[in-house]
Amino acid sequence: MTPPLAHFVSISKTYTMGQVEVRALREVSLEIHQGEMVAIMGASGSGKSTTLNVLGTLDRPTSGRYSLDGEPVEELDEEELAQLRNRKLGFVFQAFHLLPRETALANVELPMVYARVRPSLRRERARRALERVGLADRADHLPTQLSGGQQQRVSIARAIVNEPRMLLADEPTGALDSTNTRQIMELFCELHAQGMTVILVTHDPNVAAYASRVITFEDGRIVGDERTKNQGPARDRREGDVNELPGGGP
């Protein structure tokens, strides 16, 4: 069997808040393989966002071992972790985190600036990423000139521009209406169909239904891990082009 892309072994995470210790994760063991589309669910405080933060190396576990693409994460210093994130991980958040005074193209270029990619190649790759999410004609627009759904697609283009091994999304549809939620989830499904590993945190069972695997957390522990048959409406469009998504959506 192929080694897991992400591997937790007895991961625990404790936060100290004043004199109170909060155990966010309790000896969680988990394997995620290349090409999976995983939804992580649970009530507020269940540990789902902490899990995503540890997967993304944004948080270090208090104890346990985490290997990403075969590399022991706990052995890396902060600079090495930053390089690992830039090379192998893409992040999408509920708040789009776009630079308001920069164009869509410049926002997508940002991870490549940190990676010291030359400017001409940055622009070429950024344009391809925007085309991939159906926004080639919005490259020169500022975030304030884009709808919420379009802004989230720009953030997805930014997340995938370095071709990450794993795309991590924290409540990516939480700020969107139902029409834009469907479009964004179909886009995630298209990226998954193209071979990308997608992990998303959501409280919405309708969003989780797009995933091929649903992991449920409660009190810092995994209480459910189910492979689903319902893999979302975008699964019927594998032969379609992601650019069918309308650039001028709501």
Side-chain angles (χ1 to χ4, degrees):
M1 181 180 292
T2 305
L5 176 60
H7 189 195
F8 279 11
V9 179
S10 298
I11 290 288
S12 294
K13 178 64 181 179
T14 301
Y15 295 100
T16 301
M17 304 175 69
Q19 297 182 341
V20 178
E21 286 192 345
V22 177
R23 298 186 66 187
L25 294 179
R26 301 167 184 259
E27 297 188 353
V28 172
S29 293
L30 173 66
E31 292 185 0
I32 293 173
H33 289 266
Q34 177 66 38
E36 286 195 285
M37 184 167 177
V38 181
I40 299 177
M41 298 193 72
S44 178
S46 63
K48 60 185 187 298
S49 290
T50 301
T51 298
L52 198 77
N53 287 341
V54 174
L55 282 168
T57 74
L58 299 172
D59 259 347
R60 288 183 182 271
T62 304
S63 62
R65 291 179 287 123
Y66 172 32
S67 294
L68 175 60
D69 203 15
E71 192 167 3
V73 172
E74 64 270 14
E75 297 178 3
L76 304 180
D77 62 28
E78 291 304 320
E79 183 176 350
E80 290 170 329
L81 284 176
Q83 293 174 353
L84 181 71
R85 282 192 291 270
N86 193 261
R87 286 185 290 111
K88 296 190 176 183
L89 300 172
F91 296 90
V92 180
F93 301 99
Q94 178 175 338
F96 314 127
H97 296 312
L98 300 178
L99 299 177
R101 297 183 181 179
E102 299 289 348
T103 65
L105 187 70
N107 271 284
V108 176
E109 285 186 54
L110 196 58
M112 295 180 288
V113 174
Y114 296 142
R116 299 181 181 179
V117 177
R118 69 180 186 273
S120 60
L121 184 56
R122 287 202 309 258
R123 284 189 293 274
E124 179 186 343
R125 288 181 179 174
R127 288 189 186 281
R128 284 205 305 264
L130 284 171
E131 183 177 2
R132 213 171 159 188
V133 301
L135 287 181
D137 60 342
R138 300 294 197 273
D140 296 326
H141 285 58
L142 297 174
T144 54
Q145 297 171 312
L146 302 172
S147 70
Q150 289 169 342
Q151 289 184 60
Q152 190 62 295
R153 278 191 260 163
V154 172
S155 74
I156 293 171
R158 180 183 58 195
I160 65 174
V161 72
N162 280 338
E163 294 293 337
R165 296 297 307 278
M166 192 158 65
L167 182 61
L168 303 168
D170 192 359
E171 297 283 3
T173 62
L176 303 178
D177 61 23
S178 59
T179 298
N180 278 305
T181 291
R182 177 182 55 79
Q183 290 185 355
I184 291 301
M185 290 312 302
E186 288 185 351
L187 175 54
F188 279 127
C189 288
E190 292 287 354
L191 294 170
H192 175 233
Q194 293 164 16
M196 188 168 291
T197 304
V198 179
I199 303 171
L200 59 93
V201 161
T202 182
H203 67 279
D204 186 346
N206 293 321
V207 169
Y210 284 83
S212 55
R213 180 182 177 192
V214 178
I215 299 173
T216 305
F217 275 79
E218 183 178 300
D219 297 330
R221 295 187 174 94
I222 293 174
V223 295
D225 189 346
E226 179 184 4
R227 308 235 174 224
T228 66
K229 293 182 179 180
N230 180 10
Q231 297 181 16
R235 289 297 185 273
D236 298 329
R237 304 199 306 113
R238 281 179 184 263
E239 300 299 324
D241 190 330
V242 71
N243 289 331
E244 293 172 5
L245 291 170

